[in-house]
Amino acid sequence: MNTECRIRMADGTSKNLAPESSLVTRMYLSIEQFLKNLILVVRRFFEKAWNIAKNEPRKVIHCLKVGIALSVVSLFYYMRPLYDGVGGTAMWAVMTVVVVFEYTVGATLYKCLNRATGTFCAGFLAIGIHWIANQSGKRFEPIIMGASIFILASTATFTRFIPAVKARFDYGTMIFILTFTLVSISGYRIANLLDMAHERVSTIIIGASLCVITSILIFPIWAGEELHKLVISNLEKLAESLDCCVAEYFSDKEDTTTNTKKLLAFKCVLNSKASEETMANFARWEPAHGLFNFQHPWGKYLKISASMRSCACCIEALTSCINQKDQASEFLMNQLTNTCQQVSSTAAEILKELALIMKTMRKSSRMDMLIQEKNSAIQDMETLMEQLSGLLILPKVVKNEKDDQEKPVIRTSTTVIPLVEIIPTATFASLVIEIATRIEGVVDAVEELSKMAKFKLEDVEIIK
């Protein structure tokens, strides 16, 4: 039965009050809202997962490859003959697949070879030291085993701080410490240490071999190829950013058609150092594939990237000049527009040509001509800046009628330009020249790569 509450107001009228919601109703509404939020979160999760799978299908392939490897290695548990062959250490094969299977072939090979080498070396040393300890008697056996663990673990840990070891063998060193310690401790209580070590090494080799075979034979993803594509993409993005920066600076104030994404594409060059170093390290472990030989000079890609980052830093400074173009002298901007755009266009063309050289892995016959055009454009711009500086008259202090303050100005034959309006344009022009000069470092790095990788001569039938 519904009940209503009435209250009498001060003016003599009465008003009905809605009945309070019961506890059950409030709980129902809370649960309903919770379920709606949960469904919304799950829906968004699956939408993001679908977008990732749609945009990068290779990640889905990698997940399937891991599933295939684990399914095959699990047969050592499910099939009795295989289980009897490896004993109770079949779990080491499963663990190896889970730990060492990586996205790229190079990363998988890096972990597999490091794990196998570290396990073998640690097992060999542990068995040798265990034999020596047994020959020394029960009194000295724990002392020898404890001292060996301390010395080898400390030494191996120190080697992980050496840059050359950390870059290539850090994982193997960690596995060495782990395996040596486990085998040494187990050998103190287990009599058949040799059989146990043999079974564990065998299962680890089985798991690692299965990972390598699956990674190479089923839609392989090569770290070297990923690095190659990344450097090419960064060259193209650097050229786009340079063109957009100069076009935006000399465009009309009302013009807002500049693509912000292309303007800031240079940030990818600045932020890709870590991934490039990782890919280069993994690429060294990969066998010959595609257009890349076994001893392909992957280290040269890092040198190319370092030269590109040097140019990208200057382009970042250019973007800050764009925000101050309203303070620049319109007279100087009009004088420098054509020459500045010519310098930037020739420099961007060189970057695009370098990207084409790396993409086709063929030397270009146009590069010398493009460099000459770039140097000629720089010379024209420097000459024009010298001529403009010759038009300037010595600074003269004038008095501002509004605020009665004295401001320095520079007079030309036709107009008076405040010094504060000259600095932004001169800075921008100097940065454009600096970028065009630094691009020669990228050209030299690509040329070194082409010599060491033995790029072929350009085919006249190749169309850009």
Side-chain angles (χ1 to χ4, degrees):
M1 181 177 179
N2 294 332
T3 59
E4 293 184 355
C5 298
R6 301 177 64 87
I7 60 174
R8 186 172 297 278
M9 308 299 290
D11 56 358
T13 60
S14 60
K15 182 178 180 181
N16 294 332
L17 293 179
E20 294 184 358
S21 301
S22 64
L23 179 62
V24 176
T25 304
R26 292 198 300 270
M27 290 179 61
Y28 172 77
L29 294 176
S30 300
I31 294 174
E32 182 183 16
Q33 186 64 32
F34 172 76
L35 292 177
K36 287 182 179 179
N37 294 336
L38 180 62
I39 293 172
L40 182 62
V41 170
V42 173
R43 181 181 177 183
R44 289 177 178 175
F45 172 78
F46 280 105
E47 287 179 352
K48 291 181 180 179
W50 173 258
N51 291 332
I52 292 174
K54 183 179 179 181
N55 297 330
E56 300 182 72
R58 292 189 301 176
K59 292 185 177 180
V60 179
I61 295 174
H62 172 69
C63 299
L64 298 176
K65 288 161 64 175
V66 174
I68 292 172
L70 284 175
S71 299
V72 174
V73 80
S74 298
L75 296 177
F76 286 91
Y77 263 96
Y78 299 144
M79 299 180 69
R80 191 68 187 182
L82 293 176
Y83 181 81
D84 294 338
V86 298
T89 58
M91 184 59 70
W92 286 88
V94 178
M95 188 183 302
T96 299
V97 172
V98 174
V99 171
V100 305
F101 208 124
E102 294 291 338
Y103 182 68
T104 61
V105 176
T108 303
L109 283 170
Y110 161 77
K111 280 199 167 183
C112 287
L113 294 176
N114 271 268
R115 187 177 183 87
T117 304
T119 301
F120 176 78
C121 293
F124 180 78
L125 282 174
I127 292 173
I129 294 175
H130 177 71
W131 181 83
I132 295 174
N134 279 336
Q135 300 300 318
S136 302
K138 293 294 183 181
R139 181 178 179 181
F140 294 99
E141 182 178 0
I143 298 175
I144 293 175
M145 297 301 297
S148 64
I149 291 175
F150 171 77
I151 295 173
L152 289 176
S154 301
T155 304
T157 303
F158 177 78
T159 59
R160 297 181 67 186
F161 293 104
I162 301 174
V165 176
K166 185 175 182 61
R168 294 195 177 188
F169 308 107
D170 184 68
Y171 182 72
T173 306
M174 182 181 64
I175 294 299
F176 173 86
I177 298 171
L178 176 64
T179 304
F180 180 81
T181 305
L182 291 177
V183 173
S184 298
I185 295 174
S186 300
Y188 187 70
R189 298 295 182 184
I190 298 176
N192 54 345
L193 178 62
L194 187 60
D195 293 338
M196 182 196 70
H198 176 265
E199 290 175 353
R200 289 189 179 182
V201 171
S202 300
T203 51
I204 288 174
I205 292 176
I206 291 172
S209 301
L210 184 60
C211 290
V212 172
I213 293 172
T214 305
S215 181
I216 293 178
L217 296 184
I218 303 177
F219 296 100
I221 302 173
W222 304 99
E225 187 176 349
E226 295 295 305
L227 175 62
H228 188 77
K229 292 179 180 178
L230 178 61
V231 173
I232 292 173
S233 175
N234 285 343
L235 283 169
E236 294 173 346
K237 289 177 180 178
L238 202 64
E240 289 179 352
S241 292
L242 180 57
D243 276 337
C244 287
C245 281
V246 177
E248 171 69 13
Y249 188 81
F250 292 106
S251 63
D252 296 333
K253 296 180 181 179
E254 295 80 9
D255 186 9
T256 58
T257 58
T258 302
N259 192 333
T260 305
K261 185 176 180 180
K262 291 184 177 180
L263 182 66
L264 302 178
F266 69 91
K267 291 186 178 293
C268 296
V269 181
L270 296 175
N271 299 330
S272 61
K273 180 180 179 180
S275 56
E276 288 167 349
E277 291 178 349
T278 302
M279 290 179 187
N281 182 36
F282 292 152
R284 295 187 181 101
W285 296 88
E286 294 178 343
H289 58 278
L291 300 174
F292 309 108
N293 297 324
F294 181 72
Q295 295 182 342
H296 192 76
W298 299 112
K300 295 300 177 183
Y301 286 83
L302 300 180
K303 186 175 181 179
I304 295 172
S305 299
S307 300
M308 284 194 293
R309 281 192 294 273
S310 176
C311 298
C313 291
C314 286
I315 295 180
E316 188 174 23
L318 279 184
T319 57
S320 62
C321 292
I322 294 176
N323 299 327
Q324 300 177 353
K325 71 174 185 178
D326 294 338
Q327 304 174 6
S329 168
E330 198 171 315
F331 170 78
L332 292 180
M333 289 180 65
N334 293 334
Q335 294 293 324
L336 295 174
T337 298
N338 293 332
T339 54
C340 199
Q341 289 179 344
Q342 181 65 22
V343 172
S344 66
S345 63
T346 54
E349 190 65 25
I350 290 175
L351 292 173
K352 294 176 183 178
E353 188 67 19
L354 292 174
L356 182 63
I357 290 173
M358 296 191 63
K359 187 180 297 184
T360 59
M361 297 190 73
R362 293 177 179 271
K363 297 180 180 180
S364 174
S365 59
R366 298 180 60 241
M367 185 54 63
D368 293 337
M369 180 184 65
L370 292 174
I371 292 176
Q372 290 179 0
E373 291 179 357
K374 187 255 305 178
N375 293 335
S376 177
I378 291 176
Q379 185 63 37
D380 292 342
M381 188 171 180
E382 290 177 346
T383 302
L384 178 59
M385 293 179 70
E386 290 178 0
Q387 292 175 354
L388 291 175
S389 63
L391 295 176
L392 302 178
I393 306 174
L394 292 176
K396 178 181 178 181
V397 177
V398 299
K399 192 171 184 180
N400 194 315
E401 296 178 357
K402 294 182 179 180
D403 52 10
D404 295 332
Q405 293 181 356
E406 296 180 346
K407 295 184 177 181
V409 299
I410 295 180
R411 296 178 178 273
T412 67
S413 57
T414 57
T415 185
V416 176
I417 305 176
L419 184 61
V420 70
E421 295 182 6
I422 296 177
I423 294 176
T425 308
T427 302
F428 187 87
S430 300
L431 285 172
V432 172
I433 294 176
E434 181 65 22
I435 293 171
T437 304
R438 293 189 181 189
I439 285 176
E440 294 181 4
V442 185
V443 175
D444 295 338
V446 174
E447 186 177 354
E448 289 181 17
L449 173 65
S450 64
K451 290 180 180 179
M452 297 187 67
K454 298 180 181 179
F455 285 5
K456 297 179 181 179
L457 295 176
E458 185 180 26
D459 191 346
V460 293
E461 295 182 358
I462 293 180
I463 300 176
K464 183 178 178 180

